[in-house]
């Protein structure tokens, strides 16, 4: 196909080829690529872009597009779609070609957005302060007080530096005549800055020559401005030399932009937290970290207003921090953006902004808003309702539950019946609706199928406060493009994004957020704290990994023995049933009428995702814990975790459905378990060798060893309690459960002796699966984690038996009057209790902060 499209040599006329491959924009829409006024030639900046594609020209654009898709997959860049039936996440959509804004246009956009950001901040200051706009009638009181985003508890509140808005996002579109219009603004918790940066990193290197020749302005300086502003406005009651602690508050991994939040936190050097990671004490905000409560001075939030404080706002919120508003009012924490600013997002405000600009700034808006009419004003409603078919109908208060399902409707594309229904709905509740002029979006080129296709485009640009009363406009932004037949753009509705290039005739700012060379002082700085929530999920990531691995091994061993006839009845049957019951692999009580019935129940439970502690349940819990700490996992590690559960489910579903269902299911289950065991080995390797050895990783290791100690102790008890271990099959099963068969045979050949078995599985500290080795490693990791002084060891270490487990081989080998190995059973019970007690103590001390734990940072 390439030879048909690109028959010329590398010296081909790139501009002519672009014109040949470009499809025309829809009539009535601005064409971002071609200038119809000059005879349908390429616009000058696009000419320059295509002239600097590089030697391969258009012939390798498909390869570059595949490189973008591959980078997104490898980096795990996602955008969650709540309504996606296939799962909670999908890969971020990024098209190859950038959206280019020439320098002369950018200068006017920059000035207009700076003016608007200043105006919006002054509006919030007035609404929560003297309220001149309300008393003078420049803003209808009902539009403010009726909006869920107006927060009465903050009336009279003044934030640090009088800055209510720290980041403002503006959605802009170009009219058919080429003029820019502001469609909407985002003032609550604007999203997109992280995706804009990811887009830049993905696209700029693919067009390196064009990027430099067009003198595209870099982005990093604006992000640095944001960090500096947060530092500057943070409360000043700090100890000398102590920098403020700034966190990024996320709603959690099920939020649609969670990836962006994790990426932005890493890029800006902030700690990513959820509401449960923070607590308010004495009107101050603290991070619940592994080493106590650490003072938080500033919060960059991505959580909507009403979820932020269940004490004063939405009482059913589990995402917020009780007492946050009081800490704000006390002046002890900066929250960016300030709570209570979302009322400015109402489209109805656009209609009042020109008059407000004159009142507060004595200026006309240099960047116009789309004409908007709030239906709550009777005169405005009468004026525009007859023209409903030419307007866009939007909800005035999108946050209201009644409007949650109401999407903007373009009147020109609604049927007469739909328009009549809208008129009735507006008449019933006029305040709830705003009418806005319809703007046919400009159409930008995207590369698809060997052609340049026009797609509707809208640009989101960002204004960042500097904390001194001025603003920095990010020279770029997040441009979204619609699908083939979409007249609006929405990522939720299947739209895509493109990188946004702003050209400059001045100096290209080469600042980078990464220092060119780290100093020894940089290297000696403390790492960021590990939050209690992250630590808890790391701990359970270790436990669920070990639990899943153990469950897989036990299921395989059980099915192998049932298949070979090694388990028929008697003591061995009882021992295997007890082993499966105690590890959650079979429902309690297990069906004991026959080995066949037991096997069928085991297979049924294996395939049941809801079976508590079953293999599929553990895989789902493993992925859930990992999802909470996604920012700590490599893309490869994350993909392994997701694939483990998905592939195992698919493997169990394969195969014929014939009369001999149990036999086929058993064979298929063993094959699926074998493949899953391999995947779990890869996951274990990623955790052991590819994660930073910080406190979080140490908790993961402690979780694994705690779970392993519990499982191995229970297994020892199951095979010794009725002396099933004295049977040859029981002896072999216990070795397999401890994954020590090869070691045993290498040392002792085929000898079948209990003292040798106990020495290897209980006391041999060189065997990583022995109880002594597991307890020793757990003791060692606990000592490192708690930073225990050998002279005064942490009380938690006393929960474990002393070195060597405090027993001798001779005592373990003694049998009581009933012929039982009572010392073995007592040791197994002791270690099982110790594992449980250690898990409980870790949770009480480090995760829930249920005890009086010292505050690491008071200032």
């Amino acid at each position: 196909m390439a030879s048909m499209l690109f028959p010329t040599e590398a010296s081909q006329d790139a501009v002519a080829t672009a014109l040949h491959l470009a499809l025309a924009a829809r009539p009535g829409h601005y064409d971002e690529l071609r200038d119809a006024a000059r005879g349908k030639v390429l616009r000058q900046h696009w000419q320059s872009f295509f002239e600097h594609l590089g030697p391969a020209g258009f012939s390798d654009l498909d390869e570059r597009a595949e490189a973008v898709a591959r980078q997104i997959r490898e980096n795990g860049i996602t955008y969650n779609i709540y309504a996606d039936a296939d799962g909670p996440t999908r890969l971020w959509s990024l098209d190859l070609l950038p959206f280019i804004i020439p320098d002369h246009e950018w200068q006017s956009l920059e000035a207009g957005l700076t003016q608007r950001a200043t105006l919006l901040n002054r509006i919030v200051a007035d609404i929560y302060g003297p309220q001149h706009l309300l008393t003078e009638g420049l803003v209808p009181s009902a539009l403010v007080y009726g909006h869920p985003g107006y927060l009465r508890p903050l009336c009279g509140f003044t934030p640090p530096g009088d800055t209510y808005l720290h980041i403002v996002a503006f959605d802009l579109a170009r009219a058919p005549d080429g003029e820019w219009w502001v469609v909407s603004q985002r003032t609550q918790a604007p999203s997109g800055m992280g995706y804009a940066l990811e887009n830049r990193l993905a696209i700029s290197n693919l067009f390196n020559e064009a990027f430099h020749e067009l003198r595209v302005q870099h982005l990093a300086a604006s992000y640095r401005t944001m960090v500096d502003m947060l530092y500057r406005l943070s409360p000043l009651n700090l100890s000398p030399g102590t920098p403020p602690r700034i966190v990024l508050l996320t709603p959690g991994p099920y939020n649609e932009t969670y990836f962006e939040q994790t990426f932005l936190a890493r890029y800006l050097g902030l700690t990513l937290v959820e509401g449960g990671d923070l607590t308010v004490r004495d009107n101050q905000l603290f991070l619940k970290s592994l080493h106590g409560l650490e003072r938080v001075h500033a919060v960059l939030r991505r959580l909507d207003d009403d979820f932020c404080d269940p004490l004063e706002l939405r009482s059913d919120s589990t995402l917020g921090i009780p007492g946050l508003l009081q800490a704000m009012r006390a002046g002890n924490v900066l929250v960016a953006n300030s709570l209570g600013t979302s009322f400015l997002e109402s489209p109805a405000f656009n209609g009042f902004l020109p008059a407000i600009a004159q009142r507060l700034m004595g200026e006309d808006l240099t960047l116009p808003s789309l004409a908007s009419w709030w239906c709550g004003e009777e005169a405005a409603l009468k004026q525009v309702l007859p023209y409903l078919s030419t307007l866009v109908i939007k909800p005035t208060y999108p946050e209201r539950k009644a409007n949650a399902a109401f999407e903007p409707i373009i009147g020109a594309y609604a049927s007469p019946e739909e328009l009549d229904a809208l008129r009735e709905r507006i008449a019933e509740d006029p305040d709830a609706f705003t009418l806005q002029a319809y703007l046919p979006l400009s159409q930008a080129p995207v590369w698809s199928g060997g052609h340049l296709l026009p797609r509707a485009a809208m640009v989101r640009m960002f204004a960042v406060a500097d904390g001194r009363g001025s603003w920095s406009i990010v020279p770029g932004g997040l441009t979204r493009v619609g699908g083939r037949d979409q007249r609006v753009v929405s990522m939720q509705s299947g739209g895509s994004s493109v990188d946004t290039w702003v050209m400059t005739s001045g100096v290209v700012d080469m600042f980078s957020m990464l220092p060119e060379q780290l100093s020894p002082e940089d290297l000696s700085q403390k790492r960021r704290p590990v939050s209690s929530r992250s630590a808890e999920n790391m701990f359970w990531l270790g436990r669920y990994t070990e639990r899943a691995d153990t469950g897989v091994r036990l299921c395989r061993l059980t099915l192998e023995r049932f298949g070979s006839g090694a388990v028929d009845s008697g003591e061995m049957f009882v021992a295997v049933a007890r082993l499966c019951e105690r590890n959650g692999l079979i429902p309690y009580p297990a069906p004991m009428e026959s080995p066949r019935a037991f096997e069928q129940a085991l297979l049924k439970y294996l395939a049941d995702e809801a079976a508590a502690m079953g293999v599929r349940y553990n895989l789902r819990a493993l992925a859930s814990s990992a999802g909470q700490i996604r920012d700590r996992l490599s893309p490869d590690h994350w993909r392994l975790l997701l694939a483990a559960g998905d592939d195992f489910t698919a493997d169990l579903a394969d195969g014929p459905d014939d009369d001999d269902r149990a036999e086929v299911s058993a064979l298929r289950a063993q094959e699926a378990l074998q493949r899953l065991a391999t995947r779990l080995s890869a996951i274990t390797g990623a955790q052991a060798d590819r994660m930073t050895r910080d406190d979080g990783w140490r908790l993961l290791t402690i979780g694994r060893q705690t779970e392993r100690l519990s499982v191995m102790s229970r297994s020892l008890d199951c095979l010794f309690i009725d002396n099933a271990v004295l049977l040859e099959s029981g002896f072999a099963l216990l070795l397999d459960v401890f994954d020590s068969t090869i070691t045993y045979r290498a040392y002792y050949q085929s000898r079948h002796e209990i003292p040798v078995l106990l020495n290897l599985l209980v006391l041999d500290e060189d065997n990583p699966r022995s109880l002594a080795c597991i307890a020793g490693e757990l003791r060692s990791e606990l000592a490192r984690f708690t930073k225990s002084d050998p002279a005064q060891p942490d009380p938690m270490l006393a929960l474990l038996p002393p070195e060597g487990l405090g027993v001798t081989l001779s005592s373990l080998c003694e049998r009581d009057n009933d012929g039982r190995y009572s010392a073995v059973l007592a040791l197994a019970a002791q270690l099982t209790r110790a594992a449980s007690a250690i898990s409980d103590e870790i949770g009480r001390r480090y995760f829930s902060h249920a005890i009086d734990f010292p505050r690491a940072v008071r200032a």
Side-chain angles (χ1 to χ4, degrees):
M1 181 176 180
S3 61
M4 295 174 62
L5 287 176
F6 317 113
T8 59
E9 300 293 332
S11 60
Q12 64 182 320
D13 185 347
V15 174
T17 303
L19 284 170
H20 173 69
L21 299 176
L23 274 64
R26 289 176 180 270
H29 296 258
Y30 184 86
D31 192 332
E32 296 285 351
L33 179 65
R34 303 192 301 179
D35 188 350
R38 296 173 54 214
K40 297 184 179 180
V41 300
L42 292 184
R43 300 190 185 278
Q44 185 60 46
H45 48 277
W46 278 111
Q47 288 188 36
S48 180
F49 176 85
F50 289 121
E51 287 169 353
H52 294 93
L53 281 180
F58 286 85
S59 62
D60 71 341
L61 289 190
D62 285 337
E63 293 182 9
R64 299 191 205 190
E66 176 54 35
V68 172
R70 183 170 57 251
Q71 182 172 339
I72 288 173
R73 288 194 303 269
E74 292 176 350
N75 290 348
I77 307 174
T78 58
Y79 180 81
N80 295 358
I81 307 295
Y82 290 119
D84 188 358
D86 295 328
T89 64
R90 76 162 44 158
L91 289 175
W92 177 246
S93 182
L94 173 61
D95 285 306
L96 180 64
L97 301 182
F99 186 95
I100 305 175
I101 301 175
D103 177 60
H104 68 277
E105 291 186 15
W106 174 248
Q107 292 181 22
S108 60
L109 286 173
E110 186 176 31
L113 294 177
T114 299
Q115 180 193 43
R116 278 180 165 270
T118 302
L119 175 63
L120 294 177
N121 192 71
R122 292 186 182 181
I123 291 174
V124 181
D126 180 80
I127 293 298
Y128 285 104
Q131 298 189 336
H132 295 308
L133 298 176
L134 297 178
T135 57
E136 296 174 18
L138 291 171
V139 178
S141 298
L143 185 59
V144 175
Y145 295 142
H147 198 291
Y150 175 74
L151 302 183
R152 289 171 174 77
L154 289 178
C155 192
F157 167 71
T158 301
D162 294 331
T163 304
Y164 294 83
L165 300 175
H166 306 83
I167 306 169
V168 184
F170 297 94
D171 289 328
L172 292 91
R174 204 195 294 265
D177 62 1
E179 294 300 316
W180 286 97
W181 292 77
V182 176
V183 178
S184 61
Q185 55 258 345
R186 294 289 179 265
T187 55
Q188 182 174 206
S191 65
M193 288 188 70
Y195 285 124
L197 188 59
E198 272 285 3
N199 288 357
R200 174 59 55 85
L201 296 175
I203 298 299
S204 59
N205 288 334
L206 294 176
F207 299 105
N208 190 54
E209 183 179 343
F211 187 81
H212 289 287
E213 289 297 327
L214 268 65
R215 300 183 60 78
V216 179
Q217 190 59 275
H218 292 200
L219 303 176
S222 295
Y223 291 80
R224 180 72 258 174
T225 297
M226 179 166 60
V227 175
D228 290 343
M229 173 267 297
L230 294 173
Y231 272 69
R232 183 175 297 116
L233 296 180
S234 294
L236 299 179
N237 54 335
L238 298 171
S239 301
T242 302
R245 175 169 287 106
I246 305 172
V247 299
L248 193 154
L249 177 61
T250 171
Y254 296 106
N255 183 261
E256 70 267 26
T257 60
Y258 180 69
F259 171 84
E260 179 197 34
Q261 296 156 26
T262 63
F263 172 78
L264 201 58
R266 283 197 299 265
Y267 183 75
L268 300 178
L270 310 182
T271 302
L272 185 72
V273 300
E274 295 183 25
D277 296 326
L278 304 174
T279 185
V280 174
R281 308 281 176 89
D282 302 328
N283 291 335
Q284 295 181 339
L285 187 64
F286 291 90
L287 171 68
K288 292 186 285 187
S289 79
L290 283 177
H291 301 294
L293 300 179
E294 302 189 16
R295 175 79 185 279
V296 173
H297 305 88
V299 178
L300 178 62
R301 70 180 177 101
R302 293 296 295 274
L303 185 62
D304 288 350
D305 287 349
D306 52 348
F307 290 99
C308 283
D309 187 344
L311 283 184
E312 299 191 55
L313 301 175
R314 183 167 171 169
S315 60
D316 63 344
S317 171
T318 60
L319 304 177
I321 308 104
L324 179 62
L325 263 68
Q326 183 56 33
M328 289 175 57
R329 288 190 294 257
N332 291 328
V333 64
L334 167 72
V335 177
N337 285 345
S338 181
L339 301 182
T341 58
S342 66
F343 67 88
L344 289 173
E345 296 183 358
S346 172
F349 251 90
N350 287 342
F352 302 98
L353 288 181
I356 296 174
Q358 277 291 341
R359 169 63 177 83
L360 295 182
M361 303 176 67
E363 301 172 356
D364 291 329
L365 291 175
T366 60
L367 193 59
S369 300
L370 286 183
S372 303
W373 297 269
W374 180 44
C375 295
E377 287 191 310
E378 185 176 357
L381 179 60
K382 289 182 178 180
Q383 177 186 354
V384 297
L385 194 58
Y387 306 100
L388 190 64
S389 62
T390 66
L391 302 173
V392 179
I393 302 93
K394 293 185 174 181
T396 303
Y397 315 111
E399 294 85 351
R400 282 186 182 175
K401 292 182 180 180
N403 293 326
F406 185 85
E407 294 290 336
I409 297 174
I410 301 175
Y413 300 103
S415 67
E417 294 76 15
E418 290 173 327
L419 290 175
D420 289 340
L422 281 170
R423 290 188 182 95
E424 292 181 6
R425 192 169 175 180
I426 292 172
E428 292 174 359
D429 188 8
D431 288 17
F433 296 92
T434 296
L435 304 181
Q436 197 170 70
Y438 172 59
L439 178 67
L441 301 179
S442 68
Q443 299 202 311
V446 301
W447 178 255
S448 178
H451 288 84
L452 297 168
L453 305 180
R455 295 288 185 262
M458 182 178 291
V459 184
R460 174 166 291 185
M461 295 180 180
F462 302 92
V464 177
D466 68 356
R468 297 190 177 100
S470 297
W471 295 84
S472 170
I473 310 301
V474 179
L478 178 65
T479 298
R480 294 159 293 164
V481 294
R484 179 176 180 179
D485 297 319
Q486 287 182 323
R487 296 178 177 87
V488 296
V489 295
S490 169
M491 298 300 291
Q492 286 280 359
S493 301
S496 186
S497 68
V498 298
D499 189 16
T500 307
W501 290 11
V502 170
M503 300 170 60
T504 179
S505 58
V507 177
V508 176
D509 192 335
M510 303 301 291
F511 172 78
S512 172
M513 286 286 284
L514 297 176
E516 293 184 2
Q517 185 175 0
L518 291 172
S519 66
E521 290 76 15
D522 294 326
L523 297 174
S524 64
Q525 288 180 350
K526 291 195 308 180
R527 292 173 177 167
R528 281 174 287 167
V530 179
S531 72
S532 294
R533 176 190 54 85
S534 294
E536 184 173 13
N537 281 290
M538 290 290 282
F539 178 75
W540 280 101
L541 183 68
R543 293 202 66 171
Y544 279 124
T545 302
E546 184 67 22
R547 191 173 292 178
D549 185 63
T550 301
V552 169
R553 180 183 299 108
L554 290 177
C555 281
R556 288 175 62 199
L557 293 174
T558 302
L559 291 173
E560 287 172 2
R561 280 159 172 77
F562 275 105
S564 65
V567 177
D568 48 13
S569 60
E571 295 172 343
M572 192 62 191
F573 187 17
V574 173
V576 170
R578 184 182 294 117
L579 192 62
C580 291
E581 280 181 346
R582 291 193 180 181
N583 287 281
L585 304 177
I586 193 105
Y588 181 86
M592 300 294 290
E593 56 268 25
S594 70
R596 179 73 165 179
F598 183 92
E599 182 187 38
Q600 289 179 325
L602 178 68
L603 291 169
K604 183 178 180 180
Y605 210 64
L606 179 65
D608 187 356
E609 186 178 19
M613 291 186 67
V615 172
R616 290 190 64 195
Y617 176 89
N618 287 332
L619 291 175
R620 185 158 53 88
L622 175 60
S624 177
S625 294
Q628 300 289 331
I629 50 172
R630 175 102 183 264
D631 57 313
R632 296 181 61 92
L633 306 179
S634 70
D636 286 341
H637 193 174
W638 175 243
R639 282 195 295 273
L640 281 171
L641 288 163
L642 291 183
D646 294 342
D647 292 348
F648 183 63
T649 300
D651 289 344
L652 287 177
D654 291 339
D657 185 6
D658 54 26
D659 293 337
D660 195 10
R661 181 74 176 177
E663 182 178 348
V664 173
S665 296
L667 178 60
R668 186 163 64 251
Q670 290 185 62
E671 293 173 348
L673 288 166
Q674 174 60 53
R675 287 189 285 269
L676 178 56
T678 302
R679 296 184 183 100
L680 288 172
S681 295
I683 291 172
T684 301
Q687 294 172 357
D689 298 332
R690 298 186 179 182
M691 297 184 73
T692 304
R693 263 59 168 174
D694 61 1
D695 285 338
W697 177 86
R698 188 149 284 120
L699 268 175
L700 183 149
T701 303
I702 290 171
R704 282 194 67 114
Q705 297 297 340
T706 301
E707 185 69 26
R708 183 174 294 180
L709 184 65
S710 178
V711 169
M712 295 306 168
S713 299
R714 290 198 305 265
S715 300
L716 193 72
D717 180 83
C718 288
L719 272 296
F720 269 88
I721 193 169
D722 290 326
N723 283 339
V725 71
L726 299 179
L727 302 173
E728 183 176 350
S729 56
F731 193 95
L733 176 61
L734 190 59
L735 282 173
D736 283 341
V737 170
F738 274 74
D739 200 15
S740 299
T741 301
I742 293 177
T743 303
Y744 186 89
R745 289 175 179 171
Y747 287 173
Y748 310 113
Q749 289 78 44
S750 59
R751 301 176 61 153
H752 183 166
E753 298 180 13
I754 294 299
V756 176
L757 180 74
L758 289 173
N759 184 65
L760 178 65
L761 301 188
V762 178
L763 299 177
D764 189 348
E765 296 187 358
D766 292 329
N767 178 12
R769 293 280 177 169
S770 77
L771 296 178
C773 184
I774 296 169
E777 290 187 8
L778 181 56
R779 183 184 298 105
S780 177
E781 291 299 337
L782 283 172
R784 292 191 185 98
F785 176 71
T786 59
K787 299 176 175 58
S788 180
D789 184 351
Q792 292 182 322
D794 190 282
M796 189 158 45
L797 296 177
L799 297 173
L800 287 168
E803 298 286 346
L805 302 182
V807 295
T808 62
L809 181 59
S810 59
S811 66
L812 290 175
C813 294
E814 292 179 0
R815 301 172 70 173
D816 60 20
N817 294 334
D818 296 325
R820 304 171 73 188
Y821 291 87
S822 54
V824 173
L825 298 176
L827 178 63
Q830 179 188 7
L831 293 177
T832 301
R833 289 193 301 270
S836 178
I838 288 171
S839 179
D840 290 344
E841 179 62 18
I842 287 175
R844 188 173 71 94
R845 184 186 298 188
Y846 298 110
F847 305 155
S848 66
H849 292 271
I851 60 177
D852 186 15
F853 209 60
R855 296 178 185 176
V857 179
R858 298 288 283 180

